[in-house]
Amino acid sequence: MAKQLNLLSTGQVIPTALHVEMQQSYLEYAMSVIVGRALPDVRDGLKPVHRRIMYAMHELGLSPDRPYRKCARVVGDVLGKYHPHGDQSVYDAMVRMIQEFSSRYPLLAGHGNFGSVDNDPPAAMRYTETRLAEIGSDAMLQEIGEATVDFIGNFDNSQQEPIVLPAQLPMLVLNGSSGIAVGMATNVPPHNLGEVVDALIALIDNPDLSDEKLFTLIPGPDFPTGGEIIDTEGIRSAYTTGRGIIPLRGVARVEEIQGGRGKHRRQAIVVTELPYQVNKSAWIEKIADLVNHGRLDGISDLRDESDRDGIRVVIELKRETNPEVVLQHLYHQTALQNNFGAILLALVEAQPRQLSLRQMLQEFLTFREQTLNRLYTHELERTQQRLEIVEGLLKALNNLDALIEILRNAPDGTTAKVELQSELELTENQADAILGMPMRRITGLERQKLQDERDQLNTRRLELERLLGDRRELLKGLKKELRSLKKKYADPRRTRIYTVSPDRETVLVATPDSGEETSKTKSRKGKKAAIPEEVAPSLPLFATPPEPEETVLEFTRRGYVQRLSPSAYERQQQKQEENPEIQTLEAGADFVVETHVAFTDQDVLILTRDGKGFSIKVGDIPANKRGAKKTPFVSLFPPAVHGNPDAIATQFILSDYPETLDLIFLTERGRIKRLPLSEFANLTARGLTAVKLKEGDALAYANLATVGQDIAIATSGGRLLRFAIDDDNLPITSRASMPQQALRLGKGENLVGCVALSQSEKLLLVTKLGYGKRLPVELVRLAKPGDLGTQSMTFKNKTDGLVGMVAALPDAELKLLTSSDRFLRLPVKSVRSKRKDDAGDRLLKLEPKETLIYLSVSSPEPEQYV
């Protein structure tokens, strides 16, 4: 008999309680459905499948002025590139975006059979055709690009897709949305574009706009199929609390019709509009069933006279039948009157939140302002770059004789470039542009074109700087944009809204005839709905934010942080006594290793040892009062970080996240990765995974760097590996990709430092037996990732080894800590510069069995991050 394999003894099977596994798996599934499928994003109003459809069509070039393309082609692109699910689910979502009776403002245009209000199915995708609707192209995709919104890798990292579309209109409010997630659902009604734009402009002008005024501007939903809302209590409840029941009726009138040859004229109820999402054919069948079973009297005939011009259902009545009585029975027994259960639930920063109408509009305005800032910043950078080139070309044309002389006598292009920069005082980019300039640019006509272009660029640069520097100008431009979209796409209201006055009279609040509303009256009970505290916005969107305050942050070796005002920091420094260079710390004593000047609106970005990134505002760090203890830094972040004081690998203080700045990650096993810093902008409370790590590995170092700098990595054996930061050595990858191998560690070796620096800087090396030296970085051979590196430290004792490598900052202070809790501070410049084969100088005399265990370098004055 074969011997049975005992998997439990091998450690490959981990016993887990069934209820724990079920709970964790169900929560993960629920969050996946909530975030990735069922709920729309409050910013662009789209679910992932709709966003992917629109982006795929944009990539295919299906703009409103291009011919229609088969829906099957679009569905195939969406499936293959962005949405690996069923083709029918993608096609169904596309169909709803085309149907005029489903979307108030369809984002796609269709050619072919896309179904009807009778619930007729659309034709197969191989027969129908589609392209972007004009409003979908203009208001959702016009500004698409990495300059305006963030992109992420698709399911296999072969393509990039936008996290959100740069919507210029709040499509969640305009088109509404419905979806059922796990434990929650959303059902946002559609609204009229003109009314919503007026409300947005009013909120920009007056962030403290009263609810009464806001509800006057947006009196209620505006459904694509028209209909009548017969009371406003449900609207007010939905707009203030995020939930409400809105009673909705079809539009019916009583007419006299000819009964046929020889028959007298008789009365009929003619229905021309049905409530939103009511199936017309099913409704007619329901009426016929009620008549056949004797539950609805007074009806002699029922026929559907609807055509492509609209709905017309004729219900002929018997003689002596009161039409009002029959109509009331239709309201009560059929879907001619139903309730729309409004639930204003959407994703805000990837978290589901039930919102009021004011909050939905404010969230959109916040997003739109951020988008415009990113767009104008990117355009300003491109304008300045082009202006630099144009000015260089004009300078060259103004010094044409000198230019020709330089080019005639230069032996090669490199020499010509250097001489151009020197003689004509040009930048490197300008010199490159001149060398690549065709001869026709020398003509007078081309010179005039360059002068005109310079004038246009200068005008645009000043305009962009004004928009970015003055928020009022930015908001003025935003209002102008909204008015332009309203003028182009607004249409009259389709849904009438009625309410009941205290004296029981019906009052018309909004009519589809003119699109204008009358003043709202009180509801039947005459009470004003209150806004719960958890729903009400904490601050008006466009209220003047508090001015950022300057503050000082101190980080200690044991993971504590202290935030002080500049005056308190100065008093603290004055009270500190002059300590000797070497002092013995008390057991468990702590000391400051980093001090930074920051502003309360800046971000503190942390990277944890398990490869995740989190951020908080500087102002969220508790300010330390006199005599108060320092704050454990990990306690300011999510619970996953709380329990481990060594969880944080490093931190940075940032005021912005420029596209040109990267983060270089190095793990304990010598694996390296490069990511754009912009990936970490606008982090949510959940953070993000920056580096995927193998089991047993951890993030050791992270550095801010730019292309053109070098990265230096040191091992405890004294090896230094230096290579250039560029796309060949260290390409930018996605967050989901694994890091590459930078260097392999020998037996007993570990990493002791990673520094990003330029060629003119120096490194500071210190061994665990107290020897140290400064080393010019150019003495370390420039290599490639994966090389062995250069032996850059000689050890006088076989038991010695490198304990740390840092940048030798000028005028900085070196802090050393020994295994006996002895602490030493000395100027970096006091450490002498040596060759790479030198052992260095003894920095301090150690006791027997005592070793150095820690070093850091910091400026004696607080550092300012920009």
Side-chain angles (χ1 to χ4, degrees):
M1 183 176 178
K3 185 177 179 181
Q4 187 174 0
L5 181 63
N6 186 1
L7 293 174
L8 292 175
S9 63
T10 64
Q12 296 178 356
V13 176
I14 303 174
T16 305
L18 179 60
H19 72 280
V20 174
E21 179 62 31
M22 289 294 293
Q23 182 181 32
Q24 182 178 350
S25 298
Y26 185 76
L27 285 174
E28 291 175 356
Y29 162 74
M31 288 307 299
S32 173
V33 172
I34 289 168
V35 176
R37 187 182 305 175
L39 297 186
D41 194 300
V42 72
R43 297 170 292 180
D44 61 3
L46 301 178
K47 300 177 186 178
V49 63
H50 303 120
R51 189 177 301 117
R52 288 164 176 167
I53 289 171
M54 295 198 68
Y55 184 65
M57 293 177 69
H58 171 73
E59 291 287 285
L60 286 171
L62 300 184
S63 54
D65 58 345
R66 299 288 297 277
Y68 289 96
R69 189 74 63 87
K70 288 289 185 183
C71 290
R73 169 65 192 277
V74 178
V75 170
D77 258 42
V78 174
L79 294 178
K81 292 181 178 179
Y82 310 114
H83 198 74
H85 298 281
D87 59 346
Q88 195 59 45
S89 65
V90 175
Y91 185 50
D92 289 344
M94 181 188 298
V95 166
R96 283 188 60 82
M97 297 174 75
I98 296 172
Q99 292 172 336
E100 293 186 353
F101 53 86
S102 294
S103 297
R104 184 64 178 84
Y105 300 96
L107 299 177
L108 307 181
H111 185 250
N113 173 20
F114 286 94
S116 69
V117 291
D118 288 331
N119 204 28
D120 296 322
M125 67 181 81
R126 60 183 178 273
Y127 300 119
T128 55
E129 297 177 336
T130 187
R131 66 185 179 193
L132 289 168
E134 196 169 357
I135 189 173
S137 178
D138 287 355
M140 301 294 287
L141 292 161
Q142 189 177 40
E143 300 168 352
I144 190 70
E146 295 186 0
T148 52
V149 293
D150 293 328
F151 280 66
I152 57 172
N154 66 342
F155 57 90
D156 62 356
N157 282 316
S158 62
Q159 303 278 338
Q160 291 286 304
E161 62 175 310
I163 295 176
V164 65
L165 297 185
Q168 300 179 42
L169 288 170
M171 282 300 169
L172 180 59
V173 180
L174 295 179
N175 274 337
S177 182
S178 62
I180 300 174
V182 180
M184 60 186 70
T186 184
N187 201 24
V188 182
H191 292 79
N192 184 270
L193 188 147
E195 296 171 357
V196 171
V197 168
D198 290 341
L200 290 172
I201 292 174
L203 280 173
I204 294 173
D205 291 334
N206 180 17
D208 297 321
L209 188 73
S210 66
D211 284 344
E212 292 299 328
K213 180 61 177 175
L214 180 62
F215 300 161
T216 301
L217 295 171
I218 305 180
D222 186 21
F223 296 100
T225 52
E228 299 173 342
I229 297 172
I230 58 175
D231 198 1
T232 57
E233 283 190 9
I235 297 175
R236 176 175 286 274
S237 175
Y239 284 178
T240 54
T241 69
R243 281 180 179 266
I245 304 297
I246 301 174
L248 186 63
R249 281 181 179 175
V251 174
R253 63 177 182 270
V254 178
E255 294 182 3
E256 282 194 356
I257 60 172
Q258 183 66 41
R261 181 181 297 179
K263 294 184 179 180
H264 296 286
R265 294 178 67 84
R266 63 178 62 187
Q267 289 184 317
I269 296 173
V270 178
V271 177
T272 55
E273 295 177 15
L274 288 173
Y276 185 50
Q277 294 178 332
V278 168
N279 182 338
K280 176 166 62 68
S281 61
W283 172 69
I284 293 174
E285 289 178 9
K286 177 67 174 177
I287 296 175
D289 185 64
L290 291 173
V291 172
N292 292 334
H293 287 82
R295 296 171 57 189
L296 188 59
D297 296 327
I299 296 178
S300 63
D301 193 15
L302 175 64
R303 60 181 178 271
D304 186 1
E305 297 180 356
S306 305
D307 56 20
R308 65 179 58 197
D309 295 326
I311 293 174
R312 179 178 170 86
V313 178
V314 179
I315 305 171
E316 286 192 20
L317 304 180
K318 297 177 180 178
R319 284 189 178 184
E320 309 301 327
T321 299
N322 187 339
E324 291 297 325
V325 173
V326 176
L327 195 54
Q328 289 300 320
H329 281 292
L330 290 173
Y331 286 148
H332 286 90
Q333 297 184 58
T334 74
L336 189 59
Q337 177 177 324
N338 61 16
N339 291 327
F340 184 93
I343 306 173
L344 309 187
L345 186 73
L347 294 176
V348 180
E349 296 182 352
Q351 295 182 351
R353 281 184 57 194
Q354 185 171 302
L355 305 167
S356 66
L357 176 65
R358 178 188 297 272
Q359 286 174 309
M360 294 184 89
L361 298 176
Q362 287 174 334
E363 289 289 345
F364 168 75
L365 287 174
T366 301
F367 168 66
R368 187 63 192 147
E369 186 179 1
Q370 293 171 348
T371 304
L372 287 175
N373 272 305
R374 290 182 61 168
L375 178 66
Y376 292 151
T377 301
H378 178 70
E379 186 180 351
L380 179 60
E381 290 175 356
R382 295 183 61 182
T383 301
Q384 290 172 334
Q385 291 170 1
R386 180 57 187 168
L387 186 59
E388 177 189 359
I389 298 300
V390 171
E391 288 177 342
L393 294 176
L394 285 171
K395 186 181 291 187
L397 293 179
N398 292 333
N399 297 274
L400 194 57
D401 293 337
L403 171 65
I404 294 173
E405 188 66 25
I406 291 172
L407 295 177
R408 180 185 293 122
N409 297 324
D412 52 45
T414 304
T415 305
K417 177 180 175 180
V418 173
E419 291 183 359
L420 282 173
Q421 291 179 249
S422 174
E423 295 294 330
L424 301 182
E425 298 181 354
L426 299 173
T427 65
E428 184 176 354
N429 292 335
Q430 290 174 331
D432 287 333
I434 291 168
L435 290 174
M437 179 176 65
M439 292 298 292
R440 68 170 179 270
R441 283 293 179 95
I442 300 177
T443 64
L445 182 60
E446 291 293 329
R447 184 195 302 266
Q448 185 60 44
K449 287 182 179 179
L450 288 173
Q451 290 173 347
D452 294 341
E453 183 180 0
R454 180 184 60 184
D455 294 340
Q456 293 173 1
L457 290 171
N458 272 319
T459 302
R460 184 55 179 166
R461 177 178 60 83
L462 293 174
E463 183 181 354
L464 291 171
E465 288 176 347
R466 187 179 73 255
L467 288 170
L468 291 170
D470 189 345
R471 190 163 179 267
R472 289 175 299 181
E473 290 294 324
L474 181 70
L475 297 181
K476 189 185 296 183
L478 175 55
K479 290 192 293 184
K480 183 178 179 181
E481 172 189 276
L482 289 171
R483 291 191 183 101
S484 174
L485 290 169
K486 176 186 174 181
K487 183 178 180 181
K488 189 173 183 180
Y489 297 112
D491 57 358
R493 164 175 279 278
R494 299 179 186 177
T495 302
R496 289 180 175 88
I497 302 175
Y498 297 92
T499 189
V500 181
S501 64
D503 56 2
R504 308 290 296 175
E505 291 184 0
T506 301
V507 180
L508 181 63
V509 177
T511 171
D513 297 333
S514 63
E516 298 178 356
E517 309 83 31
T518 62
S519 299
K520 267 196 165 186
T521 61
K522 290 185 179 180
S523 65
R524 185 174 300 170
K525 296 181 181 179
K527 296 180 180 179
K528 181 178 179 181
I531 304 178
E533 291 183 2
E534 65 272 12
V535 176
S538 56
L539 282 175
L541 175 64
F542 290 109
T544 303
E547 287 293 326
E549 297 179 0
E550 190 177 44
T551 188
V552 178
L553 294 181
E554 292 185 336
F555 297 92
T556 74
R557 179 179 177 257
R558 295 188 179 275
Y560 287 82
V561 65
Q562 179 171 245
R563 183 162 77 87
L564 302 167
S565 66
S567 58
Y569 175 76
E570 289 178 6
R571 290 195 301 270
Q572 175 180 286
Q573 294 300 103
Q574 292 171 0
K575 289 181 179 180
Q576 285 183 348
E577 298 179 359
E578 290 296 329
N579 294 319
E581 287 188 348
I582 300 179
Q583 55 177 313
T584 302
L585 301 176
E586 296 179 4
D590 204 359
F591 56 91
V592 175
V593 294
E594 290 184 34
T595 304
H596 302 290
V597 172
F599 287 88
T600 51
D601 64 339
Q602 289 181 301
D603 293 339
V604 181
L605 171 66
I606 72 158
L607 297 162
T608 62
R609 290 177 56 78
D610 60 356
K612 294 183 178 179
F614 300 91
S615 73
I616 59 171
K617 290 293 183 185
V618 170
D620 292 337
I621 299 175
N624 288 79
K625 298 180 180 179
R626 183 175 298 178
K629 294 183 178 180
K630 298 180 177 69
T631 304
F633 197 30
V634 292
S635 67
L636 304 175
F637 294 93
V641 187
H642 283 184
N644 185 3
D646 297 323
I648 298 176
T650 189
Q651 67 270 336
F652 305 98
I653 302 173
L654 303 167
S655 57
D656 57 9
Y657 298 80
E659 298 285 344
T660 56
L661 202 56
D662 301 323
L663 268 172
I664 311 295
F665 304 95
L666 183 68
T667 74
E668 290 181 348
R669 292 188 175 179
R671 300 182 69 86
I672 197 165
K673 182 175 180 176
R674 175 179 162 217
L675 276 180
L677 180 62
S678 56
E679 291 266 8
F680 298 85
N682 304 316
L683 290 185
T684 64
R686 298 175 60 190
L688 56 76
T689 299
V691 185
K692 292 185 71 174
L693 301 169
K694 292 185 176 180
E695 186 177 354
D697 203 359
L699 180 62
Y701 301 97
N703 289 276
L704 291 171
T706 59
V707 173
Q709 287 185 300
D710 293 344
I711 196 80
I713 305 170
T715 72
S716 57
R719 283 190 299 140
L720 264 65
L721 176 65
R722 169 187 164 226
F723 56 86
I725 300 173
D726 55 36
D727 291 337
D728 292 330
N729 288 329
L730 198 55
I732 288 180
T733 57
S734 66
R735 290 191 287 108
S737 63
M738 295 293 291
Q740 69 184 70
Q741 195 70 45
L743 81 168
R744 300 193 180 276
L745 299 172
K747 186 175 181 181
E749 254 190 335
N750 59 281
L751 295 177
V752 295
C754 179
V755 178
L757 70 177
S758 61
Q759 294 184 2
S760 61
E761 295 186 62
K762 292 184 178 182
L763 298 168
L764 178 60
L765 310 176
V766 180
T767 74
K768 63 181 180 180
L769 293 184
Y771 291 90
K773 68 179 180 182
R774 283 188 294 160
L775 179 68
V777 71
E778 62 267 16
L779 297 183
V780 182
R781 178 176 58 88
L782 200 60
K784 296 284 184 182
D787 290 354
L788 290 175
T790 305
Q791 189 67 33
S792 302
M793 191 74 177
T794 302
F795 304 111
K796 295 185 177 181
N797 192 309
K798 291 183 179 180
T799 62
D800 201 1
L802 206 59
V803 73
M805 176 195 71
V806 292
L809 302 174
D811 300 323
E813 185 177 65
L814 175 64
K815 297 178 181 180
L816 303 173
L817 182 67
T818 74
S819 56
S820 300
D821 283 335
R822 288 202 302 156
F823 181 61
L824 169 68
R825 295 186 304 178
L826 70 161
V828 168
K829 62 185 177 183
S830 67
V831 182
R832 292 199 297 173
S833 183
K834 299 281 187 177
R835 300 188 306 274
K836 62 183 180 181
D837 56 353
D838 199 293
D841 298 325
R842 185 183 289 275
L843 304 181
L844 77 165
K845 187 176 181 180
L846 300 174
E847 301 294 332
K849 297 184 179 181
E850 186 182 25
T851 58
L852 276 178
I853 60 172
Y854 176 83
L855 79 152
S856 68
V857 168
S858 62
S859 174
E861 295 297 327
E863 298 178 21
Q864 174 72 58
Y865 273 72
V866 180

